[in-house]
Amino acid sequence: MLSLQVAFLLVFPALVIVGALKDATSYTIPNWISAVLILAFFPAAFALGAAPAAIGVHAAIGAVALVIGIAMFALGWIGGGDAKLFAAAGLWLGWPAASTYLFVTCIAGGVLAVGLLNLRSTQMRSLVQMGPPWFVRLATPGENVPYGLAIAIGALVAFPGSTLMQAFAAG
C-alpha cells in the first residue's frame, strides 16, 4: 500500500513540472496534463485515506481555482492551459495549502515577469540569439509570459503542506 501511495503522490509534482516545461518551451500546456491530474487525484485521495468531507473541500478549492483561472484568462493575463493547470493543482492542494499556493504563485509570477522583461531587453538580445529556438522565443519582446512556470513553483512549494502529504506523513 505504501508504494501505491508514493506512486500516486509522485503524479502531482511530475505533472506540474511537465506542464511548466511544456509552457516554457511551447507556450502551451496540453489538456491531458490537467486531465490526468484531476483523474489521479481521486484514487490518490482514497489511497491516502482522505475522508469524503476532505475530498469535498479539495473539490471546492479546485472549483474556486478554476473560476479564478477563467477570470484571469478572460482578462488576458494567462492562457487557457494555465487556467486549467491552476485549477487542477488547486484540487490536489486542499486547505490550508491553497493559501500558500496562491501567494507563492503570485510572487513567482511577478519574479517571472520581471525576469522576462530583463531577458527581453535590448542589452540581452545578442546573447539570447545564441540559445535554442524555444529560448529565443521566450526572450522575444512582446511574447506572452509562460505562467505555467509560476503555477508549478507555487504548487511545488505548497505541496508538502497539502492534506494529502500530511496524511501520508502521518500514516
Side-chain angles (χ1 to χ4, degrees), residues 1-10 42-50 167-168 171:
M1 184 67 163
L2 179 63
S3 61
L4 180 63
Q5 291 174 335
V6 170
F8 276 127
L9 287 174
L10 288 176
F42 295 98
F46 288 120
L48 288 157
F168 177 73

Side-chain angles (χ1 to χ4, degrees), residues 16-30 72 76-83 85-86 105-117 119-120 134-154:
V16 296
I17 291 169
V18 168
L21 293 174
K22 187 71 174 150
D23 201 20
T25 58
S26 70
Y27 287 94
T28 60
I29 301 172
M72 290 171 38
W77 296 349
I78 63 173
D82 299 321
L85 181 63
F86 184 73
T105 299
C106 289
I107 297 299
V111 170
L112 176 63
V114 169
L116 287 175
L117 284 172
L119 184 65
R120 294 171 179 175
W134 67 267
F135 188 72
V136 172
R137 182 176 179 201
L138 188 66
T140 300
E143 271 289 353
N144 292 325
V145 174
Y147 207 74
L149 292 166
I151 293 167
I153 291 168

Side-chain angles (χ1 to χ4, degrees), residues 11-58:
V11 167
F12 180 75
L15 287 179
V16 296
I17 291 169
V18 168
L21 293 174
K22 187 71 174 150
D23 201 20
T25 58
S26 70
Y27 287 94
T28 60
I29 301 172
N31 288 335
W32 70 263
I33 294 173
S34 298
V36 171
L37 279 170
I38 292 165
L39 293 173
F41 167 76
F42 295 98
F46 288 120
L48 288 157
I55 293 171
V57 169
H58 279 261

Side-chain angles (χ1 to χ4, degrees), residues 52-102:
I55 293 171
V57 169
H58 279 261
I61 289 170
V64 168
L66 182 60
V67 169
I68 292 169
I70 289 170
M72 290 171 38
F73 173 74
L75 292 168
W77 296 349
I78 63 173
D82 299 321
K84 290 177 263 187
L85 181 63
F86 184 73
L91 171 69
W92 273 80
L93 294 170
W95 188 258
S99 59
T100 301
Y101 172 51
L102 183 60

